[in-house]
Amino acid sequence: MNAHPIPTRRRPTGFTLLELLVVMVILGMLAGYVAPKYFAQIGKSETNTARAQIEALEKALDMFRIDTGRYPTSEEGLLALMQAPADENRWGGPYLKKDLPRDPWGRPYIYRQPGSRSEYELYSLGKDGRPGGAAEAADVRGGG
């Protein structure tokens, strides 16, 4: 029997620089693939939120019309859904449970009566805040 054990060489624990670089490259590739898809979904959800808010405002406008026989004028605006316009004795509001919403980009919705294509226009200018645009920057319009 041997009284002295043969020393074995222990491999140091931890990661090598090469292993860390490979992991970093893989994580970078995954982030480059996933991030654009994630941020595109955020843009779509803001547009969908604007559409849903416009639909709710349109229903409130229809209730206003049922009670008063007309839509609010451009001067009265959407505020007429929350406060009775002057000289309007048939107003049955408020027609919204909460305050007037702002669009998902923090701007007020645009309301015009009469509209160019229908009795009224109700829309948001989208992410860029300018008329027209495409994708996330496109205007979000109601049916009016």
Side-chain angles (χ1 to χ4, degrees), residues 17-51:
L17 181 60
L18 181 61
E19 291 170 328
L20 290 173
L21 287 174
V22 168
V23 169
M24 296 292 284
V25 167
I26 291 171
L27 288 174
M29 290 170 53
L30 284 172
Y33 177 73
V34 172
K37 293 186 180 295
Y38 173 75
F39 289 113
Q41 290 301 319
I42 290 174
K44 286 180 186 175
S45 70
E46 289 173 333
T47 301
N48 289 340
T49 298
R51 282 194 183 105

Side-chain angles (χ1 to χ4, degrees), residues 5 7 11 15 70-71 97 105 112 115 129:
R11 185 169 174 219
F15 298 105
R70 64 178 181 87
Y71 286 111
K97 291 181 181 179
W105 303 278
R112 290 191 188 122

